[in-house]
Amino acid sequence: MKKKEKTKYDLGVGHLLPEWKNLFNIKDLKHDFIAGVTVACIAVPLSLAIALASGVAPVIGLVTAIVASIICSLFGGTPLAVSGPAAAMAVLIASIVQDYGLGCVLVVGLGCGLLQLMTGVLGLGQVARYVPAPVIAGFTAGIGAIIFVGQFPRALGFSSPEPSHIIDVLTHIRELFFAAQIRSLGVTASTIAIIFILPRSFPRLPAPLIAVFIPSVVIFAMGIDVQTIGSIPYSLPSLKLLDLSQQSLINLLGTTLIVFSLASLETLLSSSTVEKLTQGRHDPNQELIGQGLGNIASSLFGGIPVTGVIARSALNIQAGAKTRRAAIIHGILLVFTVYFLTPLINRIPIAVLVGVLLSVSLRMLHPREFIKLWRSSQSDALVYVITFFTVFFIDLVFGVQAGVIAAFIIGLVRFGRTHTMVHIFDSEGPSLFSIDGPLTLLSSSKIEFIQSKLEGIDPTQGIIIDLSAVKLVDSTGATQLIKLLKHLREKNFKFAVKGLSPECRKVICPLDEDGHIMSHIVSNEIEVMNVLEKSTHSSNLNRLAYGVERFRKELHSSYQTLFKNLAKGQNPHTLFITCSDSRINPNLITSTDPGELFIVRNVGNIIPPFGVDGIPGEGAAVEYAVGVLGIKDVVVCGHSGCGAMTAILSDDFFSEKNKSLYPSVVSWLQVARGVRQHLPHGATPEQAGEINAVLQIENLKTYPIIKDKIKKGEVRLHAWFYNIGDAFLEEWDE
């Protein structure tokens, strides 16, 4: 098969051409038009509000939305996504405007676009996905909090202080709160109220647009004096502020990298959300190409950096969009707004846009996300908190860095976390020590814990060290383990190391210079008993008790919800009839959980015909499973190396001597001796096992309840044969 090309030197145009041709097809035009209008109604107030929060003229927000919606839609890798100015980027853009001037925003946007274009062309779009989710959530919430606090003075009727550090803003609010302009505060509050209340009764209406329209009309009709947007300029931003020092250029380059990272991350998150909503797929590299071209075009037209926007993309899908055309229509409608509705936009009160911004910031705070993180993982919640407070009180960039570092440290500790379980028996059986997790520098205390537990144990009793759950060993962990094992030898303990993987052996073996320790490493229970010089039966019950304890401590928690449900009753989907052979584990070979299989096991997986068995145990299981539990699939599973099949093929087994020694076994296998008449001369036990499974299906059909269910099409019967050696499974096909 031809290897898929990772690079997109043609900017993906070759793959996009068929979609572009479909844009001129009238199919789904109605759906796309409705979706475009719906998104445009939301995009107008949001673009104006985000421009306000970004410290640029409101018209720049509209210009940015127009360019992004058209260019990114044409070239992006997520057909139904909508791009434009994003609230998550507003604070960062505002800081660039404040530190360097508006002209530098265009340079940063151009640099961001070129980096995104390069990333997409080279096929590196997946890299941006590796930022931890708690960092993203904490950063978004931190931005929301900054927007809320930063715009609150405007809600009171005042401008934000310069420089607008969060502490300065909080001080500013405290000083001016009692001098607040009631009119401005009332307009902002009414806007927020409409945005949050209207969707509850009328979810299809564009709440942000209505929230801007109603207060604006009321203020204009009543002649209330409030600050408005004012006249919108038609010239591009001036670039005269680009006379920068060398240090400023270096800082600007660093800022460009941060904008590139955050814009790309926000875009790919939006694309992933769209993918989930549409059950489709997206191309992250093509999406970055589209975003890169969008950012380049936005800069050339005097706009601010853009990203894929989750809220507008989700609304586009909910409104019925079918193709890229919906986002393009939304952009065209924004052009119409700029050219024909400018006089109306000029009259929009600043307090109304502040209300829109505050509503956006409140949604970005999203406290439920933190609560969900806290309930699922407190360490992830800690990363969220560190990111949030660092972003809020110190710096955006430093906040992301702090969050990533915290996530890395917590992940490292998590990765290095090792659990131990000790099961010391007072009887003559060996004691068991289990280690679960990596053996590294971080697991030193666990090795010391095991060594401390050796005191008081009789050296002749024997010790089993179970390392089957250890998947990684570094040189430090291997050295600590070797020291522990040498200590056991010096104290004359009989011990065995069980379950060591080949990868871990490669690390440990070179450290055993005299070769004594390797003789204690075993792979199964028989070897364990040989090394400990004990008879197997002496530790069987201890082995089972240890297994129960290990299940309760290590495995039960992962099945906690399942067992809570199973405690109320069972609802298996399959009746599984198989042999009592100890090598057959139905749940293991079928990868099923407890509660999925209703299992019947006996010698030879035999189902006596209806009415033959004096005490119909198998018949009772069949009737209960199919009749009471409503099971619709019945599987009879034979296996290779079956002792029952070997016995059936041998006349000697049915001798008078065996009838007296094993009367129940001989009587039971008589039921299945009919298998022989279906076999060729010299047939193997494997062939007998295959035919036997099919004959048991025929025996099942003699049961009235099975006959009735088959007739109604409510039960399906299956004959399987499982090869123990290679784990292959064959199914009978009539």
Side-chain angles (χ1 to χ4, degrees):
M1 186 173 67
K2 186 179 179 181
K3 187 177 180 181
K4 183 179 178 181
E5 293 292 335
K6 290 185 177 181
T7 52
K8 294 178 180 287
Y9 296 119
D10 65 344
L11 304 185
V13 172
H15 293 288
L16 293 172
L17 277 175
E19 288 192 61
W20 289 353
K21 291 178 181 178
N22 288 334
L23 295 179
F24 300 97
N25 194 325
I26 62 171
K27 182 183 178 182
D28 296 322
L29 179 59
K30 177 183 175 181
H31 296 93
D32 288 340
F33 183 78
I34 293 173
V37 172
T38 304
V39 177
C41 290
I42 301 297
V44 170
L46 286 180
S47 299
L48 294 171
I50 291 168
L52 182 69
S54 301
V56 299
V59 71
I60 292 180
L62 289 176
V63 169
T64 303
I66 292 168
V67 174
S69 62
I70 296 174
I71 301 298
C72 296
S73 298
L74 282 172
F75 290 92
T78 313
L80 300 185
V82 178
S83 299
M89 300 289 294
V91 175
L92 187 56
I93 295 169
S95 67
I96 299 172
V97 173
Q98 181 176 300
D99 294 340
Y100 304 105
L102 182 56
C104 289
V105 174
L106 307 185
V107 176
V108 168
L110 185 64
C112 172
L114 290 172
L115 288 172
Q116 287 179 320
L117 190 62
M118 188 187 308
T119 303
V121 168
L122 297 178
L124 304 175
Q126 302 287 350
V127 175
R129 290 184 172 185
Y130 294 107
V131 177
V135 175
I136 298 167
F139 174 80
T140 303
I143 291 291
I146 291 173
I147 291 175
F148 186 88
V149 173
Q151 296 303 317
F152 199 75
R154 284 196 170 110
L156 300 176
F158 304 101
S159 60
S160 295
E162 297 289 347
S164 56
H165 188 276
I166 200 68
I167 301 299
D168 298 318
V169 178
L170 290 171
T171 304
H172 192 60
I173 292 173
R174 185 189 63 184
E175 293 172 349
L176 301 177
F177 186 79
F178 294 103
Q181 297 178 16
I182 302 301
R183 288 172 297 181
S184 179
L185 190 59
V187 171
T188 300
S190 63
T191 303
I192 296 173
I194 293 172
I195 288 175
F196 281 103
I197 295 174
L198 188 63
R200 297 181 182 179
S201 303
F202 304 97
R204 292 184 176 275
L205 294 179
L209 184 65
I210 294 173
V212 170
F213 179 76
I214 293 177
S216 300
V217 169
V218 171
I219 289 170
F220 178 74
M222 297 180 66
I224 300 175
D225 182 24
V226 294
Q227 184 183 3
T228 61
I229 290 177
S231 60
I232 292 177
Y234 286 92
S235 61
L236 294 180
S238 172
L239 303 182
K240 64 182 180 181
L241 297 179
L242 290 181
D243 184 17
L244 300 170
S245 64
Q246 183 177 358
Q247 184 61 44
S248 297
L249 286 172
I250 294 173
N251 294 339
L252 195 62
L253 177 61
T255 303
T256 302
L257 291 173
I258 295 299
V259 171
F260 156 71
S261 301
L262 296 180
S264 302
L265 185 60
E266 180 81 8
T267 293
L268 294 178
L269 284 173
S270 175
S271 296
S272 297
T273 302
V274 171
E275 184 178 77
K276 292 176 184 176
L277 291 174
T278 59
Q279 300 298 314
R281 295 184 63 81
H282 76 279
D283 183 345
N285 295 315
Q286 187 63 49
E287 183 63 22
L288 285 181
I289 289 174
Q291 292 295 318
L293 292 173
N295 270 309
I296 292 171
S298 176
S299 298
L300 295 177
F301 279 89
I304 58 178
V306 304
T307 74
V309 188
I310 295 175
R312 273 162 267 177
S313 299
L315 179 63
N316 190 41
I317 295 165
Q318 292 165 5
K322 302 296 182 184
T323 70
R324 301 171 185 270
R325 189 167 43 196
I328 296 172
I329 291 171
H330 138 263
I332 294 171
L333 291 173
L334 293 182
V335 174
F336 175 85
T337 301
V338 170
Y339 277 96
F340 297 100
L341 300 180
T342 297
L344 296 179
I345 294 175
N346 292 342
R347 295 177 179 272
I348 296 175
I350 294 293
V352 169
L353 294 184
V354 171
V356 174
L357 275 175
L358 294 184
S359 68
V360 171
S361 67
L362 288 172
R363 285 196 171 97
M364 292 174 71
L365 285 169
H366 200 28
R368 289 183 181 177
E369 190 165 12
F370 173 73
I371 294 171
K372 189 189 297 182
L373 275 176
W374 180 262
R375 289 174 177 172
S376 62
S377 172
Q378 293 184 2
S379 57
D380 284 347
L382 177 61
V383 173
Y384 177 102
V385 169
I386 290 172
T387 306
F388 174 84
F389 282 104
T390 310
V391 166
F392 186 68
F393 285 107
I394 302 177
D395 181 70
L396 299 177
V397 177
F398 187 69
V400 174
Q401 293 171 342
V404 170
I405 292 171
F408 176 77
I409 293 173
I410 290 173
L412 185 64
V413 172
R414 237 188 227 162
F415 179 73
R417 187 179 295 166
T418 305
H419 302 281
T420 56
M421 189 176 74
V422 178
H423 211 105
I424 300 174
F425 298 100
D426 295 329
S427 62
E428 59 183 23
S431 296
L432 293 148
F433 293 80
S434 168
I435 300 178
D436 183 359
L439 276 178
T440 64
L441 174 67
L442 300 177
S443 57
S444 304
S445 60
K446 302 300 180 182
I447 299 294
E448 293 172 0
F449 171 76
I450 291 176
Q451 190 162 332
S452 68
K453 289 293 182 180
L454 297 175
E455 298 179 9
I457 297 179
D458 182 2
T460 62
Q461 180 180 330
I463 291 174
I464 300 173
I465 299 177
D466 187 354
L467 301 180
S468 57
V470 175
K471 304 303 179 187
L472 173 69
V473 176
D474 67 5
S475 58
T476 305
T479 301
Q480 293 168 337
L481 179 63
I482 289 293
K483 286 182 179 179
L484 172 65
L485 300 181
K486 285 183 177 180
H487 174 76
L488 291 174
R489 278 184 59 84
E490 291 169 0
K491 298 297 182 180
N492 296 317
F493 277 92
K494 293 181 179 180
F495 66 94
V497 180
K498 175 188 172 186
L500 195 62
S501 69
E503 292 76 14
C504 295
R505 288 193 186 209
K506 290 179 183 178
V507 180
I508 294 173
C509 287
L511 300 179
D512 181 26
E513 297 175 356
D514 53 15
H516 295 318
I517 300 301
M518 290 302 106
S519 62
H520 292 268
I521 296 178
V522 299
S523 57
N524 55 57
E525 289 297 320
I526 295 176
E527 291 181 6
V528 168
M529 293 304 113
N530 289 337
V531 170
L532 298 182
E533 300 176 359
K534 288 182 176 288
S535 60
T536 305
H537 72 271
S538 66
S539 64
N540 285 343
L541 288 180
N542 287 348
R543 168 72 180 87
L544 295 179
Y546 160 72
V548 171
E549 186 69 8
R550 181 172 184 179
F551 170 77
R552 186 182 68 82
K553 288 186 175 181
E554 298 179 8
L555 299 177
H556 183 266
S557 59
S558 61
Y559 286 97
Q560 199 164 15
T561 303
L562 174 63
F563 286 126
K564 189 177 292 185
N565 294 330
L566 291 178
K568 302 171 186 176
Q570 62 171 323
N571 185 29
H573 54 71
T574 300
L575 168 59
F576 199 90
I577 303 168
T578 191
C579 186
S580 300
D581 195 297
S582 62
R583 297 167 294 176
I584 305 300
N585 186 327
N587 291 106
L588 181 65
I589 65 177
T590 59
S591 300
T592 47
D593 288 327
E596 290 192 70
L597 303 181
F598 190 82
I599 300 173
V600 174
R601 303 189 67 162
N602 59 47
V603 175
N605 46 272
I606 295 169
I607 299 294
F610 180 71
V612 171
D613 197 352
I615 305 177
E618 284 68 28
V622 169
E623 291 174 0
Y624 185 80
V626 175
V628 178
L629 298 178
I631 285 175
K632 299 187 183 304
D633 285 286
V634 181
V635 173
V636 177
C637 183
H639 67 93
S640 62
C642 182
M645 296 302 104
T646 302
I648 286 172
L649 294 176
S650 171
D651 290 327
D652 294 339
F653 185 80
F654 295 92
S655 64
E656 293 300 323
K657 179 181 178 182
N658 280 345
K659 286 180 181 179
S660 61
L661 289 173
Y662 317 111
S664 298
V665 179
V666 172
S667 175
W668 175 253
L669 292 181
Q670 285 284 6
V671 177
R673 285 195 81 184
V675 170
R676 294 174 59 169
Q677 63 184 333
H678 298 278
L679 295 173
H681 178 72
T684 64
E686 277 65 31
Q687 291 173 316
E690 292 173 347
I691 297 299
N692 178 60
V694 177
L695 290 180
Q696 302 316 310
I697 293 293
E698 297 304 315
N699 289 348
L700 275 169
K701 293 178 181 178
T702 64
Y703 287 79
I705 191 169
I706 295 293
K707 286 181 181 179
D708 180 60
K709 294 286 185 180
I710 290 177
K711 186 176 180 180
K712 294 179 180 178
E714 296 177 356
V715 162
R716 296 176 293 270
L717 306 181
H718 313 272
W720 288 3
F721 184 82
Y722 176 70
N723 190 302
I724 294 174
D726 55 23
F728 283 143
L729 188 141
E730 297 174 298
E731 182 175 8
W732 170 256
D733 185 342
E734 293 186 5

